Amino acid sequence: MNDPFKSHIRLNDQSLLASDIALMDLRYCPFIFLNACETGQSGGRTVENLEEVGDEQIGFVRAFTMAKSLSILVTAWKIRDDVATRFANCFYEVLPNSTTSEALKIARTKTWEEFKESSRDWAAYILYGNPFWRL
């Protein structure tokens, strides 16, 4: 996608654009977990000259940051559904007693232990924002 602000999340039969998210006030929603394909990418555009620097970083991470979310967990590439499910289950299982960064580490480890060499998707998860956030 060449315009990261046109990135969208499908919610039932509607789309929520990154540009719409950026205009929201999500202070009441301090942690966002986007467990889907490439949600951490910002459009895949390369910068040709210095005048364009900055535009390539607009995507879901920037949109949720602009909307005042404190922590955002996203994926860096397309991930397998079974790995995503296992990761999310592990993450949410330990999150009530952990910081987001601790839960991320534990979920990565448990997911790697289950899938080992068959998938590297346990490593796709990237945490932006406050790593010490707790429920």
Side-chain angles (χ1 to χ4, degrees):
M1 171 174 293
N2 289 332
D3 186 352
F5 249 164
K6 291 185 180 171
S7 297
H8 66 277
I9 299 170
R10 291 288 293 165
L11 301 170
N12 296 322
D13 61 345
Q14 296 182 336
S15 291
L16 182 60
L17 294 170
S19 57
D20 296 330
I21 294 166
L23 298 174
M24 295 178 172
D25 182 356
L26 296 178
R27 279 179 268 216
Y28 61 88
C29 194
F31 177 70
I32 303 293
F33 182 14
L34 301 178
N35 193 13
C37 296
E38 304 171 303
T39 53
Q41 292 191 5
S42 56
R45 212 165 59 83
T46 58
V47 177
E48 301 285 326
N49 62 57
L50 290 179
E51 293 172 1
E52 296 178 11
V53 171
D55 288 348
E56 76 284 357
Q57 294 303 317
I58 297 172
F60 288 125
V61 172
R62 177 64 58 93
F64 280 106
T65 301
M66 290 171 67
K68 300 177 183 72
S69 289
L70 298 178
S71 295
I72 303 111
L73 184 58
V74 294
T75 58
W77 58 78
K78 292 180 181 179
I79 54 176
R80 290 181 7 198
D81 289 342
D82 57 340
V83 176
T85 299
R86 175 67 174 143
F87 182 91
N89 288 339
C90 292
F91 182 83
Y92 282 115
E93 180 181 304
V94 299
L95 185 60
N97 300 310
S98 306
T99 65
T100 49
S101 60
E102 291 167 340
L104 172 62
K105 180 181 177 185
I106 292 166
R108 277 184 179 157
T109 301
K110 287 184 175 185
T111 305
W112 178 83
E113 288 171 351
E114 181 171 329
F115 292 94
K116 300 223 188 256
E117 304 301 319
S118 70
S119 176
R120 62 184 173 89
D121 291 347
W122 58 269
Y125 294 89
I126 304 168
L127 178 65
Y128 291 92
N130 183 354
F132 305 111
W133 184 82
R134 289 182 180 268
L135 283 176

